[in-house]
Amino acid sequence: MAGRVDVARLAGVSPAVVSYVLNGSHPVAAGTRERVVAAIDELGYRPNALARSLATARTHTLGLLLPESANPYFARLSSAIEDAAFDAGFAVLLGNGSDNAARELGYIRAFLDRRVDGIIAVPGGEFLEGWRELESARVPAVSLDRLQQGINLPSVVVDNTGGASAATAHLIDHGRTRIACITGIAEVSSAQERMLGWRETLVAAGLPAAEHRLARADFSVEAGHSATLALLARDPEIDAIFAGSDTQAVGVLRALADLGLRAGQDVAIVGFDGTPLSDYTTPRLTTMAQPYAEIATEVVRMLLNLIEDPHQERSALHRVLHTTLIPRDTCGCGPAASAPQHAPPA
Amino acid sequence: MAGRVDVARLAGVSPAVVSYVLNGSHPVAAGTRERVVAAIDELGYRPNALARSLATARTHTLGLLLPESANPYFARLSSAIEDAAFDAGFAVLLGNGSDNAARELGYIRAFLDRRVDGIIAVPGGEFLEGWRELESARVPAVSLDRLQQGINLPSVVVDNTGGASAATAHLIDHGRTRIACITGIAEVSSAQERMLGWRETLVAAGLPAAEHRLARADFSVEAGHSATLALLARDPEIDAIFAGSDTQAVGVLRALADLGLRAGQDVAIVGFDGTPLSDYTTPRLTTMAQPYAEIATEVVRMLLNLIEDPHQERSALHRVLHTTLIPRDTCGCGPAASAPQHAPPA
DNA sequence: TTGAAAGCGCTAACAG
DNA sequence: CTGTTAGCGCTTTCAA
């Protein structure tokens, strides 16, 4: 592989000049530049990023730590973040915490060791030690999707309470009164806030927000499925379910089908996240959509600013974006809820 | 941040000795080692991976290039690969080709510049130039999920033809005779092979494999949806559909519901991939499951071997794993196909 | 068993 | 405008 010296020799200049034209950091005579550029692409020369990083203390690489990257929501989110990072000229190292403290820590260290310029993390349940290392390493980091108890890092989240409230209100508008909630564990701030939005809205409407209509489970289809079964066994009167995530909502759908109940009619549902697949469930899932692209550009923008100037006013570094209701079939809005399901073949 | 020299000073040794104990590459007196180790974790010292990599020409980092990481199949796959890489002590740089030649090339370069030890790539449609850079850079690389025309790189794929054949045979076993196929574009080898499996099996059974019952679309829900609509409009006689991916199958499900047709009864369906969500669609999707964990461990094992010894026999570097049929409801096996859909609430 | 010193490939003063 | 030189933080001969 051709090196900087080869280029320099071919162009008849010193190695330093090659750097100058490469980085545009120094004035270089037009003629010289041309010769260097010609030499560069004649040799197919590409600067060694490791060496450059060692010298500049910048890797143009971000670390992204997720709790479980296979989850459709996080998959969508990470894809958006990668896009934004790519546009900004950054590569991303991906880490999968798997809700496992040791792994999260392992990835944080892997990122730190490789000197990433910044870290975006969706903190899992047991992330305290990871944060500690992060803080002591003084590497710019921003918390995404959720806040971590007692640690004040810059963050980008959505208005979970507001979104949950809108979802619940929509259910109430449809005449539902016995509305259950399935959400994530209390340690996850976003899950907790969604529960709060549900509860507050119910209370404000003079409707019961009974404890036995609240289920906490992890953000998986399986959990949504079994939580629904348990909820309905405990209280068959339930006529609507607000699910704190689309993945859980898919489990709800499946559970209703298992019980022979019609989603959108017997039991109305509103999910959360606006996952791509939510538009293709049967029936179509009404959900609170998150603004993925906006979240992604905002979080990398914030991180990049932080990298430029690490001593920013912390208070300005908390962004709250908004979700929007996408009314489809499972709430009772759409046509499909009453569409022919036993119609003869076309 | 504490450096190697600080550790050395604290332990009363030379910086070189710190390296010796860190890498265990050199004999070190027990007492000395202890002092060094003590100094290391008193200072919380962590070696700079960039510097180490520059010196050793090893980054312990892999590049993973996917066509679209938000797709449930690739999300599941990348999560499995990350797991395997983590277990092997490797971090992964993730790239999202977005079926865009320029982006793919951009990521290949980003990987190469950062001196990844190896690359795993699922080639998108226009990956030729990317491959070229890959080859000339002589970096170990393996092709995943599909083969790239005319380029002989090590690969890990599944037996697509066999899987598609089994899927089609299963449909035939259910008495279906007018079986359509929706798969990816012909340029994608796996999509093509799945189509072939469908066709061969039909022919072998003396059934028609009509061209007008074949649809090529990209691997998305949307595409599966519209392809189904088109297929059925063209030929309402179709009584089964083999979908070359679960995401497309989800679109098929949605399209059938739109048309008032019952999946598993009016039209039977078998998907491909065994995506986690396939177990939670309504009705449950019968599918050919890919062995994710096995694929992942195999591909990183192969890549790691290649890194150790780049001059291996090429012929041994093609692994074909097998898919397994998971019979559920959409083929007609399960109970849900005939489950009450208009039953009264429990 | 330990230390000194020469790189790894690049950037960034500083001189010229 | 261009070249020299000293690092960046680590590994690795080679001597001691």
Side-chain angles (χ1 to χ4, degrees):
Chain A
M1 189 174 291
R4 205 197 27 178
V5 288
D6 303 303
V7 175
R9 182 163 33 231
L10 181 59
V13 296
S14 87
V17 179
V18 179
S19 283
Y20 300 155
V21 348
L22 234 33
N23 315 323
S25 53
H26 237 64
V28 170
T32 312
R33 156 171 295 111
E34 274 171 29
R35 291 205 322 281
V36 172
V37 168
I40 285 178
D41 51 40
E42 176 170 338
L43 297 174
Y45 167 71
R46 309 228 86 218
N48 181 325
L50 293 172
R52 190 202 290 255
S53 293
L54 188 58
T56 59
R58 282 248 173 301
T59 53
H60 287 273
T61 302
L62 262 33
L64 174 60
L65 182 67
L66 262 25
E68 34 161 352
S69 61
N71 176 305
Y73 167 63
F74 292 118
R76 178 71 187 80
L77 197 55
S78 77
S79 155
I81 288 173
E82 233 179 83
D83 261 32
F86 184 84
D87 289 345
F90 278 71
V92 5
L93 270 172
L94 187 57
N96 213 167
S98 305
D99 275 321
N100 170 342
R103 265 188 86 125
E104 287 188 329
L105 190 55
Y107 272 116
I108 290 298
R109 288 194 173 145
F111 293 167
L112 262 20
D113 290 351
R114 287 172 178 74
R115 297 300 186 268
V116 296
D117 292 336
I119 291 178
I120 297 174
V122 177
E126 302 288 344
F127 197 36
L128 284 54
E129 194 164 355
W131 275 141
R132 237 180 291 289
E133 301 237 349
L134 249 183
E135 297 212 298
S136 72
R138 313 205 145 290
V139 168
V142 8
S143 177
L144 183 63
D145 183 74
R146 1 181 137 154
L147 273 11
Q148 180 73 2
Q149 302 266 28
I151 304 197
N152 182 31
L153 256 82
S155 65
V156 175
V157 297
V158 294
D159 175 13
N160 292 297
T161 314
S165 183
T168 308
H170 187 69
L171 253 8
I172 294 174
D173 288 345
H174 272 288
R176 306 290 169 164
T177 54
R178 298 179 298 278
I179 306 173
C181 172
I182 296 177
T183 189
I185 57 174
E187 285 66 35
V188 173
S189 70
S190 48
Q192 179 67 3
E193 290 168 11
R194 287 170 202 177
M195 185 279 285
L196 255 27
W198 162 78
R199 174 183 286 164
E200 286 169 6
T201 306
L202 248 30
V203 169
L207 258 22
E211 273 311 304
H212 76 273
R213 285 193 187 137
L214 169 61
R216 296 178 189 279
D218 56 88
F219 286 127
S220 70
V221 228
E222 294 77 3
H225 180 256
S226 51
T228 305
L229 260 22
L231 235 32
L232 253 19
R234 207 184 300 153
D235 179 1
E237 300 279 270
I238 288 169
D239 63 4
I241 296 177
F242 163 58
S245 72
D246 283 355
T247 36
Q248 291 173 324
V250 168
V252 173
L253 248 29
R254 186 62 252 164
L256 293 183
D258 289 347
L259 296 170
L261 293 172
R262 292 161 306 175
Q265 292 182 262
D266 302 318
V267 177
I269 309 170
V270 177
F272 205 103
D273 289 342
T275 273
L277 251 29
S278 64
D279 198 18
Y280 287 88
T281 55
T282 309
R284 289 187 169 87
L285 185 64
T286 292
T287 185
M288 299 301 305
Q290 298 208 33
Y292 297 101
E294 196 183 344
I295 291 174
T297 56
E298 182 60 25
V299 73
V300 334
R301 198 194 55 71
M302 187 179 283
L303 192 53
L304 264 37
N305 280 345
L306 224 36
I307 291 170
E308 292 314 320
D309 170 19
H311 310 290
Q312 286 177 55
E313 188 60 52
R314 275 290 165 89
S315 58
L317 298 173
H318 293 282
R319 276 297 302 270
V320 178
L321 302 178
H322 293 273
T323 58
T324 73
L325 177 72
I326 302 187
R328 288 197 279 237
D329 306 342
T330 59
C331 58
C333 274
S338 51
Q341 300 201 352
H342 274 182
Chain B
M1 189 172 291
R4 206 195 23 167
V5 289
D6 304 301
V7 174
R9 182 162 37 232
L10 181 59
V13 297
S14 87
V17 178
V18 177
S19 282
Y20 299 157
V21 348
L22 235 33
N23 314 323
S25 53
H26 236 65
V28 170
T32 313
R33 157 171 293 111
E34 274 172 29
R35 293 201 325 278
V36 172
V37 168
I40 285 177
D41 49 41
E42 175 170 339
L43 297 174
Y45 167 71
R46 307 229 86 214
N48 182 325
L50 293 173
R52 189 202 290 257
S53 293
L54 189 56
T56 59
R58 282 250 173 301
T59 53
H60 287 273
T61 302
L62 262 32
L64 174 60
L65 181 67
L66 263 24
E68 37 160 350
S69 61
N71 176 305
Y73 167 61
F74 292 119
R76 178 70 188 81
L77 197 55
S78 77
S79 155
I81 289 173
E82 234 180 83
D83 260 34
F86 184 84
D87 290 344
F90 277 70
V92 5
L93 271 171
L94 187 57
N96 213 167
S98 306
D99 275 321
N100 170 341
R103 266 188 83 126
E104 287 188 330
L105 191 54
Y107 271 116
I108 291 297
R109 289 194 173 144
F111 294 167
L112 262 19
D113 289 352
R114 288 172 177 75
R115 297 300 188 269
V116 296
D117 292 335
I119 291 179
I120 298 173
V122 177
E126 303 288 344
F127 198 36
L128 285 54
E129 195 166 353
W131 274 142
R132 238 179 290 290
E133 300 238 347
L134 249 182
E135 296 212 299
S136 72
R138 312 204 148 288
V139 169
V142 7
S143 177
L144 184 63
D145 184 74
R146 0 180 139 154
L147 274 12
Q148 181 73 1
Q149 302 267 27
I151 303 197
N152 181 31
L153 256 79
S155 66
V156 174
V157 298
V158 294
D159 175 12
N160 291 297
T161 313
S165 183
T168 308
H170 188 68
L171 253 9
I172 295 175
D173 288 344
H174 273 288
R176 306 290 169 165
T177 55
R178 298 180 298 279
I179 306 173
C181 172
I182 296 177
T183 189
I185 58 175
E187 284 68 35
V188 173
S189 68
S190 49
Q192 181 66 4
E193 291 168 9
R194 288 170 203 177
M195 185 280 283
L196 256 25
W198 161 79
R199 173 182 289 163
E200 288 170 5
T201 307
L202 248 30
V203 170
L207 258 21
E211 273 313 303
H212 76 272
R213 286 192 187 141
L214 169 61
R216 297 179 188 278
D218 57 88
F219 285 127
S220 70
V221 229
E222 294 77 2
H225 180 256
S226 53
T228 304
L229 260 21
L231 235 30
L232 254 17
R234 207 184 301 152
D235 179 1
E237 300 278 88
I238 287 170
D239 62 4
I241 296 177
F242 163 58
S245 73
D246 284 354
T247 36
Q248 290 173 325
V250 168
V252 173
L253 248 28
R254 184 63 253 163
L256 293 184
D258 289 348
L259 297 171
L261 294 172
R262 292 160 306 175
Q265 292 183 262
D266 301 319
V267 177
I269 308 168
V270 177
F272 205 103
D273 288 344
T275 273
L277 252 30
S278 64
D279 197 19
Y280 287 89
T281 55
T282 308
R284 290 186 169 87
L285 185 64
T286 292
T287 185
M288 298 303 303
Q290 297 208 32
Y292 297 102
E294 197 183 345
I295 291 174
T297 56
E298 184 58 25
V299 74
V300 335
R301 197 192 57 70
M302 187 180 283
L303 192 53
L304 265 37
N305 280 345
L306 223 36
I307 292 170
E308 292 314 319
D309 170 21
H311 310 290
Q312 286 175 55
E313 190 58 52
R314 275 290 165 89
S315 59
L317 298 174
H318 292 282
R319 275 297 301 269
V320 178
L321 302 178
H322 293 273
T323 57
T324 72
L325 176 72
I326 303 188
R328 287 197 281 237
D329 306 343
T330 58
C331 57
C333 274
S338 49
Q341 301 201 353
H342 274 181

